[in-house]
């Protein structure tokens, strides 16, 4: 049966591109927010959902991290990485020198921060739910507006392209997570994502947790923290390591860590993304 896969829409977003690359045969369904995609996966309305998780210029997409931390019944089943090339568009007849508002997804605005400060110092930046929602917001604007969007959106909407490649670095890649109710079976080239927190703050707590991996020669590829949202200065740590949770060394490290912490959650083991050109 064809899989039904949700994504942060509407049609034309970078997330849709990632979903198409991941599952060209699937039925794709757009959702307005990352949380809506997560909820639809968790309640079985969807087989899977694609959401952005990390960008090479801007770092983590915190909405997605917070969703993974808080929503039960949700795992990462795969990852997809695509290059991001931003276009600046305006309604036909609106030239760059009259633009007063620029709409986009907060990640896209952040990835073009330097360009916007240099070229549009007077324009106000406005957050939209996605880069394609930004084009609709721009068209509804009563003041002259522009939007930062993917090339695909310039084909879907009747807009004029003011500029392209406007991100602050030519190397701009986003990693997307494919969310499902279960993670992936081992492939031999996997990554595992976990999160955990401590109730009591003691010297060396985090050091000993990380030691569980280094003792077993397991490579950590990401570590960061999010606020618990319960008290200032209290954090949930997120770690990615190489290997699958079913591999004996990884399983032992995870068990060792679990015994050292108060909250522990495996967000998923899934195959490492392999670029098409190897
Ligand atoms: O808004 C989009 O098109 C998205 O898919 C989110 C996003 C925004 C900016 C870079 C990568 C993904």
């Amino acid at each position: 049966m064809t899989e039904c896969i949700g994504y942060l829409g509407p049609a034309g977003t970078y997330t849709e591109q990632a979903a198409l690359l991941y599952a060209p045969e699937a039925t794709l369904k757009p959702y307005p927010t990352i949380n809506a995609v997560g909820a639809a996966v968790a309640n079985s309305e969807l087989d899977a959902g694609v959401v952005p998780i990390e960008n090479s210029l801007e770092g983590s997409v915190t909405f997605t991290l917070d969703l993974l931390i808080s929503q039960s019944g949700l795992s990462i089943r795969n990852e997809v990485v695509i290059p991001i090339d931003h276009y600046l568009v305006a309604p036909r007849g609106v030239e760059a020198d009259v633009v007063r508002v620029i709409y986009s997804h907060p990640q896209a605005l952040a990835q073009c921060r330097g360009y916007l400060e240099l070229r549009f110092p007077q324009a106000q930046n406005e957050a939209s739910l996605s880069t394609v929602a930004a084009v609709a917001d721009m068209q509804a604007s009563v003041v002259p507006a522009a939007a930062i969007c993917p090339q695909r959106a310039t084909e879907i909407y009747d807009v004029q392209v003011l500029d392209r490649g406007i991100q602050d670095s030519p190397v701009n890649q986003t990693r997307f997570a494919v969310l499902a109710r279960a993670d992936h079976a081992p492939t031999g080239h996997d990554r595992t994502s976990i999160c955990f927190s401590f109730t009591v703050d003691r010297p060396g707590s985090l050091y000993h947790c990380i030691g569980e991996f280094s003792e077993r020669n397991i490579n950590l590829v990401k570590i960061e923290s999010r606020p618990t949202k319960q008290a200032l200065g209290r954090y949930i740590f997120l770690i990615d390591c190489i290997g699958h949770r079913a591999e004996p060394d990884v399983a032992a490290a995870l068990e060792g860590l679990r015994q050292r912490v108060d909250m522990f959650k495996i967000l998923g083991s899934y195959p490492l993304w392999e670029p098409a050109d190897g």
Side-chain angles (χ1 to χ4, degrees):
M1 216 180 68
T2 358
E3 270 205 316
C4 186
I5 298 189
Y7 66 94
L8 173 67
T13 58
Y14 294 107
T15 312
E16 187 202 32
Q17 283 175 40
L20 282 167
L21 188 61
Y22 169 65
E25 309 295 333
T27 305
L28 297 185
K29 197 170 165 195
Y31 284 77
T33 63
I34 288 172
N35 278 343
V37 174
V41 174
N43 72 19
S44 303
E45 193 178 310
L46 293 169
D47 296 307
V50 183
V51 293
I53 189 164
E54 183 182 11
N55 175 264
S56 59
L57 294 180
E58 267 310 298
S60 285
V61 179
T62 52
F63 286 108
T64 299
L65 298 187
D66 291 348
L67 171 72
L68 282 163
I69 290 167
S70 63
Q71 172 83 60
S72 56
L74 215 52
S75 293
I76 307 177
R77 189 176 78 185
N78 274 97
E79 63 175 10
V80 179
V81 179
I82 62 166
I84 304 293
D85 189 28
H86 291 305
Y87 279 58
L88 184 72
V89 302
R92 294 197 182 282
V94 172
E95 297 308 327
D97 52 357
V98 300
V99 166
R100 282 176 40 206
V101 182
I102 300 179
Y103 290 95
S104 203
H105 186 277
Q107 277 266 332
L109 290 168
Q111 291 159 24
C112 304
R113 193 179 292 125
Y115 172 91
L116 294 175
E117 278 171 7
L118 192 69
R119 305 287 289 275
F120 294 91
Q122 313 297 349
Q124 191 183 322
N125 295 351
E126 282 288 341
S128 297
L129 288 175
S130 72
T131 56
V132 176
V135 177
D137 291 341
M138 167 195 94
Q139 284 174 327
S141 172
V142 288
V143 297
I148 299 170
C149 67
Q151 197 243 339
R152 242 174 90 74
T154 69
E155 292 160 3
I156 298 174
Y157 286 84
D158 182 29
V159 291
Q160 61 165 333
V161 174
L162 296 180
D163 208 348
R164 62 192 61 177
I166 65 165
Q167 58 276 1
D168 291 335
S169 163
V171 183
N172 187 19
Q173 290 184 307
T174 294
R175 198 157 68 87
F176 294 82
V178 180
L179 308 177
R181 286 177 297 285
D183 60 358
H184 202 286
T187 67
H189 297 278
D190 303 305
R191 171 177 179 130
T192 295
S193 300
I194 60 164
C195 68
F196 58 91
S197 65
F198 309 98
T199 325
V200 183
D201 195 14
R202 285 198 196 90
S205 297
L206 188 58
Y207 172 85
H208 291 297
C209 287
I210 292 171
E212 298 286 347
F213 296 92
S214 63
E215 274 166 27
R216 296 173 175 89
N217 209 22
I218 298 168
N219 196 14
L220 295 189
V221 286
K222 185 172 168 183
I223 178 163
E224 64 182 309
S225 60
R226 290 290 301 146
T228 58
K229 304 186 186 188
Q230 278 153 16
L232 183 66
R234 293 278 164 201
Y235 299 99
I236 295 171
F237 295 97
L238 296 109
I239 282 183
D240 283 5
C241 71
I242 295 298
H244 194 282
R245 65 183 170 80
E247 289 167 23
D249 276 357
V250 177
L254 297 180
E255 181 52 26
L257 188 147
R258 197 180 62 77
Q259 288 177 11
R260 296 181 177 279
V261 300
D262 300 295
M263 183 280 279
F264 173 75
K265 189 175 174 189
I266 298 181
L267 304 178
S269 290
Y270 46 96
L272 288 161
W273 174 250
E274 288 184 25
D277 57 11

